[in-house]
Amino acid sequence: MVGKTPAPNSKQPPTQPQYNRKSKRRIQFRRILLICLASVFLGGCWDNHELESLAFITVIGIDKGKHNNLKITYQFFTPATESPKHSGVHKPLVTTFQAPSFGVAENIANVSSDRMITSQQLKVTIISESFAKKNDVARVLEGMVRSRSYRRDILLVTSLDDASDTIRANLSKLGSTSLDFIENMRNQHTFTGFLPVETLNDFLIANESGDTLAFTGLVALNKQSSSGESTNQSENRIAGQFPIKNGDDPLQYIGAEIYRGDRAAGRLTGQETRIVLLLQRKIGTFLMELPDIHHSDRRNTLLLRQIIGPRIRAHLDHGQLHFIIHVPLDATLDSTTAEINYVQDTKQRRLLERVFDQKLQHETVKLLHRCQKEFRGDPIGLYPAIKWRFLTEKSWRQFNYTKHFNKARFIVQYEIEITNFGKQRAPFGAQ
């Protein structure tokens, strides 16, 4: 019946517990206390160190040591050694010792220094070519990958000389530290194309993929050779072969070292390195000079820009792999001594463009054939042009890309278009 009160003995539904104000305040206080304690433990500086107590490793050199040890060279700095001197020259600290691994090396370095050695600022690792030819470089670098203190964006460089000698000699006369000099060279590689920027991560990915060959930049001490080669031939040199006297730094950065099966397999010249980076679209601008088509004793220089990446196609013809590579480049007539009106004479300008096209096409095909016969692999990374045709990773592995690449045929086309002629409309004495 509506409005009827339940009997005294009838069962009532359980009611929610009622908290008084004092209980609510106690719960709120506990929650605030828990949040405060968590913020203290999570945000506390339990492993902090004063800046003056640290020594930062910036460059590591790896050479062959005795009794299966690594000969490791550290270049490191402290806030005191990095500050400018009255002479304007920085003198980074360099030490060399032997150890079986990088972890043991840091312990040895801490034994001989009152500063705590840290590798969190490491930027460059230099490997001597003699060591890389006889040892599994990827296995040695595995110690860097596992350690939390090493980053994967460390720049890898191969030295034609001992890494310890290279690090000790690398001192800029303009006041930059050795690390600054390497970093500046690293940043300007897109303006020359002579030095690849390959990091620890790039090296390991290429090494583990099985489809491409890993490579690093190449450095060497200036030998001050008295070669009389012309400028265009000098691009086919490697580090240490440029006759430079009284330069800023005794080191030269040009060329690349190719790795096959975790070991050094050969070198690329400056021009060959430039071609590899062109096909990988890692160059911004670079200068190229050739003799004039009408007067062999006169020169024309183009400033080339890679605005659009290369178009790479591939197909199989009766089981043989074919690559078709098209590389468009924009150009500026940077200088000319030919006294020919390449600006207003369209026919002459097309001839000039064709000369540069043919030069790059010839050198690219020559490099690809060298990769097939000498390196026995693909350092450029052309495989995506054909890999997309395979539906599964298993079928791609069964295809054996490296075997097909070493027997592949290439059609290379460069398309250089001169769109800028500088400030002067026509050269002096142009006809």
Side-chain angles (χ1 to χ4, degrees):
M1 180 179 296
V2 179
K4 185 177 179 181
T5 58
N9 296 330
S10 61
K11 295 182 178 180
Q12 298 289 340
T15 59
Q16 297 294 332
Q18 301 294 327
Y19 297 100
N20 54 29
R21 295 181 179 178
K22 188 175 182 180
S23 300
K24 290 182 179 181
R25 291 176 180 175
R26 187 180 298 111
I27 294 174
Q28 292 177 353
F29 175 77
R30 290 176 179 175
R31 290 177 179 175
I32 295 174
L33 181 61
L34 180 61
I35 293 174
C36 293
L37 291 175
S39 63
V40 170
F41 283 101
L42 294 177
C45 300
W46 303 103
D47 58 346
N48 68 315
H49 297 278
E50 295 295 334
L51 189 62
E52 291 77 8
S53 66
L54 298 176
F56 300 96
I57 302 173
T58 56
V59 182
I60 284 182
I62 304 175
D63 295 298
K64 178 64 177 179
K66 298 179 180 179
H67 308 297
N68 295 325
N69 285 328
L70 300 175
K71 181 182 176 182
I72 297 179
T73 301
Y74 279 168
Q75 175 188 281
F76 55 92
F77 71 87
T78 65
T81 59
E82 189 66 4
S83 60
K85 301 291 189 303
H86 295 291
S87 61
V89 178
H90 300 283
K91 293 183 179 180
L93 305 178
V94 180
T95 180
T96 302
F97 43 83
Q98 299 195 26
S101 65
F102 294 105
V104 176
E106 288 193 21
N107 287 334
I108 297 177
N110 279 296
V111 169
S112 60
S113 174
D114 61 345
R115 305 292 182 96
M116 179 178 178
I117 306 296
T118 174
S119 56
Q120 295 180 355
Q121 298 297 321
L122 177 63
K123 298 294 183 66
V124 182
T125 297
I126 301 177
I127 307 170
S128 65
E129 186 186 49
S130 59
F131 174 84
K133 286 183 176 181
K134 299 179 181 180
N135 295 271
D136 189 338
V137 176
R139 179 182 57 82
V140 174
L141 296 177
E142 190 261 351
M144 289 187 175
V145 179
R146 291 185 178 274
S147 176
R148 293 184 178 182
S149 59
Y150 294 96
R151 301 180 301 183
R152 278 183 170 255
D153 61 347
I154 300 171
L155 178 66
L156 287 185
V157 180
T158 302
S159 174
L160 300 183
D161 306 280
D162 286 345
S164 59
D165 297 337
T166 300
I167 294 176
R168 281 175 164 62
N170 189 14
L171 183 62
S172 172
K173 299 176 182 178
L174 297 179
S176 302
T177 62
S178 178
L179 175 63
D180 293 336
F181 185 84
I182 297 177
E183 285 283 281
N184 293 336
M185 296 295 295
R186 176 181 184 174
N187 294 333
Q188 70 178 20
H189 84 282
T190 57
F191 302 106
T192 62
F194 286 148
L195 178 69
V197 176
E198 294 298 309
T199 64
L200 173 63
N201 186 66
D202 299 330
F203 182 90
L204 294 177
I205 289 178
N207 185 270
E208 295 172 2
S209 68
D211 298 324
T212 60
L213 300 180
F215 60 90
T216 69
L218 195 64
V219 300
L221 294 173
N222 181 13
K223 302 301 188 300
Q224 294 187 3
S225 60
S226 58
S227 174
E229 298 181 40
S230 59
T231 305
N232 66 316
Q233 293 175 334
S234 67
E235 295 177 348
N236 293 319
R237 304 178 189 177
I238 59 174
Q241 295 182 352
F242 286 81
I244 300 176
K245 295 183 179 180
N246 301 324
D248 176 39
D249 196 282
L251 286 187
Q252 295 179 1
Y253 291 71
I254 179 173
E257 184 78 31
I258 300 293
Y259 284 78
R260 184 183 68 244
D262 302 334
R263 299 189 179 187
R267 310 165 184 171
L268 295 181
T269 64
Q271 183 67 0
E272 290 173 333
T273 303
R274 175 183 285 172
I275 292 174
V276 171
L277 298 182
L278 269 176
L279 298 182
Q280 293 182 342
R281 199 187 177 184
K282 293 184 178 180
I283 295 183
T285 61
F286 65 95
L287 290 170
M288 185 174 177
E289 185 183 65
L290 288 177
D292 185 68
I293 53 180
H294 302 289
H295 309 283
S296 60
D297 59 334
R298 302 179 184 181
R299 318 290 297 183
N300 295 310
T301 303
L302 295 185
L303 176 64
L304 299 172
R305 292 183 295 272
Q306 189 175 36
I307 300 177
I308 303 175
R311 183 184 179 186
I312 303 173
R313 294 175 293 168
H315 65 274
L316 291 171
D317 185 9
H318 299 287
Q320 186 174 31
L321 185 59
H322 292 252
F323 284 100
I324 302 175
I325 303 173
H326 179 258
V327 186
L329 294 173
D330 183 79
T332 297
L333 185 59
D334 188 74
S335 66
T336 176
T337 59
E339 297 184 357
I340 296 177
N341 195 348
Y342 290 116
V343 179
Q344 298 172 333
D345 193 332
T346 305
K347 181 179 179 180
Q348 293 297 331
R349 185 165 70 248
R350 294 290 179 260
L351 289 175
L352 180 62
E353 293 171 345
R354 192 176 303 123
V355 170
F356 280 84
D357 287 339
Q358 293 174 352
K359 177 66 174 178
L360 286 173
Q361 288 169 193
H362 172 73
E363 292 181 343
T364 302
V365 172
K366 183 179 178 181
L367 171 61
L368 291 170
H369 289 165
R370 186 187 176 202
C371 292
Q372 290 177 312
K373 296 179 181 180
E374 182 178 346
F375 303 137
R376 306 296 299 171
D378 174 18
I380 302 170
L382 303 176
Y383 68 91
I386 190 66
K387 185 177 181 180
W388 68 273
R389 297 176 181 270
F390 295 83
L391 299 179
T392 63
E393 187 68 22
K394 182 179 180 180
S395 62
W396 170 251
R397 293 304 171 193
Q398 292 175 347
F399 173 68
N400 195 342
Y401 167 74
T402 301
K403 180 180 178 180
H404 282 80
F405 172 84
N406 292 333
K407 298 180 180 180
R409 293 185 177 181
F410 303 94
I411 297 177
V412 180
Q413 298 174 340
Y414 278 82
E415 185 181 351
I416 297 177
E417 183 179 3
I418 302 177
T419 59
N420 197 304
F421 305 93
K423 298 180 180 180
Q424 190 170 332
R425 291 290 298 169
F428 176 79
Q431 298 178 356

